[in-house]
Every structure is written in structure tokens, then in C-alpha cells.
Amino acid sequence: RDDIDEVAEPPGVPSPPGSGRETQQLIDVNPPRGTRDFPPEDMRLRNWLFQQFREVSRILSFEEVDFPVLESEALFIRKAGEEITQQLYNFEDKGGRRVVLRPEITPSLARLVIKQGKSVSLPLKWFTIGQCWRYERMTRGRRREHYQWNMDIIGVPRVRAEAELVNAIVLLFERLGITSSDVGIRVSSRKVLQAVLQMYAIPERLFAEVCVIVDKLGKITNEEVEKELIIAGVTSEAVKGIVEVLSLTSLDKLEAVLGSDVEAIADLKKLFSLAEHYGYSQWITFDASIVRGLAYYTGIVFEAFDREGKLRAICGGGRYDRLLSTFGSDDIPACGFGFGDAVIVELLKEKGLLPDLGRQVDDIVFPLDEELEGQASMVASTLRRKGHSVDLVEEKRLKWVFKHAERVNASRLILVGNSEWQRGMVRVKVLSTREEYETKIDELN
Ligand SMILES: CC(=O)Nc1cnc2ccccc2c1
């Protein structure tokens, strides 16, 4: 079996309870394959990154939404051969329902838009940060979960929506200290491929499947892509036409091949002109080979990449004007992107841009004698009611407490001692200035 997951080791045979010989074998302390724990240091980095996502969402005036990680499997059954639908983390629940751990966010968002239907006025600008799952054969050792920041604009048919989304992505990079010489955003439109398929009279119904195959360009060999296209029913002359057009990186050359009345060209020209006004032209570049790997995109698509070419796409998205109608709703134009939590961290590491996030505690309260534990509790509680983060420490030597104070970046050390207490006082050490003084408890703030 190529999935070592399925053949787990038999657990150690525990001694019978009450035998006094219980020698519980240590449980496996690792999280399930392909998943991660977030100990404090990693959690601080994750919270910092997600706070940046939230800040940019606020600045673009998007509203936060959320959905269950568990979804009906039906939401993700698509026939275009996408990797994401072939790796569904799916199962049958105890009620016999076919469910999945969601592999992406967009279908849930579409479902909620339809559910809210008439009760929300368009346009909607929604964002969420959510965990997504895939069931990968572990032979590839890739992760089975990641967190994605999603931004979607619902109900805006014009290219303004894509321009707003690119603005969000550029703002995020700028906030992290990443420049347009580190990262670029490749932009194209699936209407290019649509036009080429029409030129060769390839049936519309093959469009999504062809996009998913063409997205593999650069990941598998051209021969392999061409073979998959032929198998999908694309004629060999159409394959040649596709490969030729998708290698174009100038809008003018594209116009020369497709003619000037193609929607794709008008859309892209509009986007590049808006980019000038947003001031982010230097971030975006036309690249006809960009199609993205999700079946439901219908128009402009984009993905951010590191210009050194070391990493996978940092984020990606596009227009998906037909997704809601495939769920039986009226057609509602939509576009959005997903921004994963993994590649961006690799990029920040590469660029030396990871923030140094230490702990931060306001006050350490330490009773110098153990019979002062009650008094120390009162001091800590008083300070906490004032909103101070207080670390109440006891049973330690003073030397350890000083080192601990440094480790947690405490601002002050509050020592509760007998003699001071007799006079209703505590001793305060300000760690930054080494200043030391006594103060009345109720004057502590
Ligand atoms: C680099 C990485 O962790 N990628 C990743 C990890 N887990 C996923 C889970 C679902 C869909 C896409 C996923 C993508």
C-alpha cells in the first residue's frame, strides 16, 4: 500500500486495570499525519500573519464571515479533474451523510450568498481566514491542512472587483516588507483560452477540464499536457494553438492573434489602466499562461509568485461568474482569491522578514515569603482588574524570577515582602530603567 497511514502499528498491550502494574505505553504525541500543532512561538507568528490579513481586509472595508470546516461533499463534486477534488478529505458521518473537511472556502461562501439571497444587498465584500484540508497519499509528505485568507467580491461584474482584490494583495505584501522586486503578480484571463477553443471549434463543455490540464504547464512536461488535452478531446491543431497563444506575454501580441474585439483583451487593458491609478503597476504583469487550477474560474485570473522562482504560488484567485448558477441560483458575478499560510512564511524566511515576536507581560508579582501568597493574589488580582497582564510567580528563587522577567519582557517586577506589607506597601522594580520604589497597593496602576 502506498499509504502507510492505513497500516498503523498495533498499540502496546496495556496491563489490566487494577493490577497495579499499569504501564501505559506512551501515546503518540505527534498530531495526525500532515497536520501541525502551534506551540506558543509558532502561534505568535500565525497570529501576527493573520492580524495582517485582518488589517488589510479592514482597510479594504471587507466584512468578516465564517463557515463550518465540515461541509456537504456535494459542494465539491466537480468533474473537471482538479487535484483538489481528487483529494477530498471525505467520509460518511453517523447519520449516513456524505461530508468533507472543506478543501477550499469559495463554495461555502457561494452557498451562504445564495442562502442570504434577497436579504443582502450587493455588492458584498466578504473575507475569512479558515483551515482547509486535503487527503494526500503521504508518500508525497505534503501537509494535509493549511489556513487560507479568502477575500471575495460578490455582485460586481466589472474589472473593478479584480482591481480591488489586487490592491488588497499588494497592500498585504507592502505591510510585510515585501517589494515588487521580490514578488510579482501574473495576470491573465480564461477568456483567452475560451477564445482559442472557439477558434478551433472545441466544444464549450470541455472548457473547465482544458483549463485544469493547461494549469499543469510548467509543473509537468509540455508533452504530458498535450497528451492529456488530446485524451480530453482537444484536436492536435487546437493543442498547438493553445500552447502558442499561452506562451504570449504581451497584450499587443495577444491582440494580434485573437483580434481586438476579444473581451479578454478589453478586461485586461482596463485592469492595467486601473493599476496605474492604484499605483501598483509595477507589481502586475500579463502572462497568458496563467489559468489557475480551479474549474470554476471564468474570467481574469491572477497569482502572486516569487521572482526568484524558488517557491510555489504565494496566493491566487480570479473571477468565477458561473459558480453560483451551478448551485442552482441565478447568475451572480463574483471574484476572489485564496492566500495560504505556508508559502508566505517561506518567502518571509527567505527575505529575512520574519518578525521577532517575543512574549509581552506587564507585571510579574512575586511573594518573597510563601505565607504572603494571599497578599500576592490580591496584588495580582487588583492589577488584572486594571487590565494589566500579570504573571503571578511563586516557589522560585529570586534569581530565577529576574531571569524569567527578562524572558517574558516584563515591564515591572512587583515584590510582595513582609516588612513592606506591614506598612501597606509593595516594592516595584521597573525593569527598563532599573528604577526601584515602594508604593501603596491601591496606588499601583
Ligand atoms: C504548502 C501547503 O501547505 N499547501 C497546502 C496544504 N494543505 C492544503 C489543504 C487543502 C487545500 C490545499 C492545501 C495546500
Side-chain angles (χ1 to χ4, degrees), residues 57-74:
S57 305
R58 182 188 64 80
I59 290 167
L60 267 283
S61 79
F62 276 57
E63 296 177 279
E64 184 165 15
V65 291
D66 197 12
F67 315 98
V69 176
L70 185 75
E71 273 281 10
S72 156
E73 185 182 47

Side-chain angles (χ1 to χ4, degrees), residues 110-129:
R111 176 178 61 67
L112 182 60
V113 170
I114 299 168
K115 180 182 149 201
Q116 300 234 313
K118 309 282 178 274
S119 65
V120 290
S121 63
L122 298 178
L124 296 173
K125 301 197 296 185
W126 287 354
F127 87 92
T128 191
I129 302 171

Side-chain angles (χ1 to χ4, degrees), residues 369-424:
D369 308 280
E370 70 180 26
E371 69 266 18
L372 290 166
E373 62 178 359
Q375 291 80 340
S377 315
M378 188 218 264
V379 173
S381 182
T382 305
L383 287 166
R384 285 171 175 160
R385 284 204 176 90
K386 296 176 176 183
H388 288 230
S389 70
V390 175
D391 194 7
L392 180 49
V393 171
E394 55 186 24
E395 308 227 308
K396 293 287 184 185
R397 294 193 353 278
L398 195 52
K399 190 163 170 292
W400 182 92
V401 178
F402 273 105
K403 219 194 285 46
H404 176 67
E406 250 162 66
R407 250 196 331 264
V408 300
N409 274 315
S411 308
R412 299 185 308 179
L413 181 48
I414 319 273
L415 300 172
V416 183
N418 252 318
S419 57
E420 293 88 351
W421 193 263
Q422 300 309 323
R423 292 178 277 110

